[in-house]
Amino acid sequence: MYPNRLWLWASALILAWLLAGSAVAQTVVSRLNLVSGPERTRISLDLSQKVEPHTFLLADPYRTVIDLPQVAFRWAEALPTPADGPVAGFRHGQFRPGTSRLVVDLRQPMQIVQAQVLPPGGGQGWRLVLDLAPITREAFLAAIGTSSATAAVPPKSSPPTQDGQMPRRSDGRQIGRAHV
């Protein structure tokens, strides 16, 4: 093969690879809305595509955690900074490769009443809606591990195994105190 043809083929392959990579668009989270009432607090996220969230609770301090497949947090407006009510604030970022995390810091124990992804409609795109309701500390502690249909929250601490390693769940994740 002639050097010019080799260069042409290499350029075409690189261009095809770049175009294929950009065809898979990353999900963008563009807005977070917070509405608090006496009986229920609603958090909604505007999304560019459908996602499968994983939600769970953590105690001491009280937190609700939303894990998403890797997304880009590109806020169209500043995140709410609640001065009162059950939500104290929000933190977000990449938790590990392939997983993004939104942490909702709570001032009081809350239970996840509903977590659902709504399809586009009424002039809005995809939305993740999370409804929280106040509960007692005892009920909160009992709810830990049952917040998501897919997995339980690890216990606060687990002793190392005999080989010095922290125990792991059947899905390979380490059991122990969750760090956010």
Side-chain angles (χ1 to χ4, degrees), residues 32 45 58 60-67 73 75 79-80 87-94 100-106 178-180:
L32 185 149
L45 299 174
L58 293 173
D60 302 324
Y62 300 120
R63 290 160 287 165
T64 296
V65 179
I66 306 166
D67 280 348
F73 292 101
W75 305 112
L79 290 177
V87 175
F90 302 93
R91 295 177 282 141
H92 61 86
Q94 182 176 350
S100 295
R101 177 168 282 184
L102 174 69
V103 177
V104 181
D105 294 311
L106 302 171
H179 298 284
V180 188

Side-chain angles (χ1 to χ4, degrees), residues 1-16:
M1 202 174 255
Y2 297 105
N4 287 345
R5 285 188 184 169
L6 183 60
W7 175 251
L8 183 62
W9 277 104
S11 297
L13 285 173
I14 290 171
L15 181 61

